[in-house]
Amino acid sequence: MGRGSFSSFIPISSGTARVSWSDEFYGIDDYEFRKGKSIQWDPRNKLIFSEYGIADDFLAHVHPSATVISKKMKHILENELKINGLEFYPVPVVSKDGKTKIEGYYVMNILNIVRDALDRDNSLIDISDTGGVRTETVLKYCLKENKIKNFDVFRIGDGRLFVSSRVKDAFDKAHVTGIAY
């Protein structure tokens, strides 16, 4: 895979910690992390998990647009690969009763948004019309190389997260858990 090879970041759940957003998540709407802008992070924000087990490095399905990662993933992105266009906010992950706390997680805000990266002519897109409502589902992504060549981590217009082969290889080497490509 060369520099131009990109993988969609597909969350999986191999760990057993079940995490959901706390009702005490302040000042952030559901799609705030898809805008590509810095946010005002409130230190009172926290994630609540309903069951405890071994938590993955990537916590899947905790919020419609937020990406929650471990300190291992943060270290790879920030220190080893020196990826630009990312912001990290520490977030405590605690049990419902407040007795158990998992340390070392961050909400990653991705500032690199490439809205016109999808090559619609070469992607596989399912279009359906139900009751006059048209919906499009991308089944296979094909991206415009000239739009994404300068990014290692980015979102496209529909919010899908992509990483370069450089990032994927570093995650694979470090045995990062909770994601597939």
Side-chain angles (χ1 to χ4, degrees):
M1 291 179 132
R3 167 86 175 119
S5 180
F6 289 84
S7 297
S8 180
F9 212 58
I10 303 169
I12 61 170
S13 184
S14 62
T16 55
R18 304 289 179 244
V19 182
S20 61
W21 281 105
S22 167
D23 291 336
E24 300 164 14
F25 202 71
Y26 301 95
I28 308 243
D29 70 38
D30 284 351
Y31 295 96
E32 198 74 26
F33 295 101
R34 291 187 183 184
K35 295 177 181 176
K37 297 178 181 176
S38 291
I39 60 170
Q40 288 296 114
W41 185 254
D42 191 314
R44 297 175 296 172
N45 292 341
K46 62 184 171 183
L47 295 172
I48 305 293
F49 64 86
S50 57
E51 298 173 27
Y52 181 69
I54 299 169
D56 287 319
D57 292 309
F58 181 82
L59 297 182
H61 311 298
V62 297
H63 188 270
S65 65
T67 303
V68 181
I69 63 171
S70 68
K71 64 182 172 186
K72 175 166 80 172
M73 289 181 75
K74 178 183 182 286
H75 177 81
I76 292 166
L77 293 167
E78 191 174 46
N79 300 106
E80 291 179 23
L81 300 177
K82 302 194 183 321
I83 304 295
N84 293 319
L86 304 175
E87 296 177 334
F88 301 96
Y89 305 100
V91 62
V93 180
V94 297
S95 61
K96 281 184 182 180
D97 62 12
K99 294 179 181 178
T100 305
K101 185 174 181 180
I102 304 173
E103 298 288 342
Y105 280 89
Y106 298 83
V107 171
M108 179 173 69
N109 186 24
I110 300 158
L111 303 177
N112 304 321
I113 310 295
V114 187
R115 302 213 186 280
D116 57 349
L118 183 65
D119 180 344
R120 295 183 65 81
D121 293 333
N122 293 305
S123 296
L124 180 58
I125 303 173
D126 178 50
I127 301 171
S128 61
D129 189 342
T130 308
V133 177
R134 178 186 163 121
T135 59
E136 295 184 357
T137 305
V138 180
L139 304 173
K140 183 178 179 190
Y141 287 85
C142 184
L143 303 178
K144 298 174 187 173
E145 178 67 29
N146 64 325
K147 298 289 185 178
I148 61 173
K149 66 183 177 184
N150 296 321
F151 300 104
D152 282 301
V153 177
F154 62 94
R155 289 189 191 275
I156 64 170
D158 69 358
R160 174 73 69 165
L161 174 59
F162 286 85
V163 297
S164 68
S165 59
R166 184 170 87 104
V167 173
K168 178 189 177 300
D169 292 346
F171 285 168
D172 288 347
K173 181 179 177 184
H175 306 287
V176 166
T177 61
I179 56 174
Y181 308 95

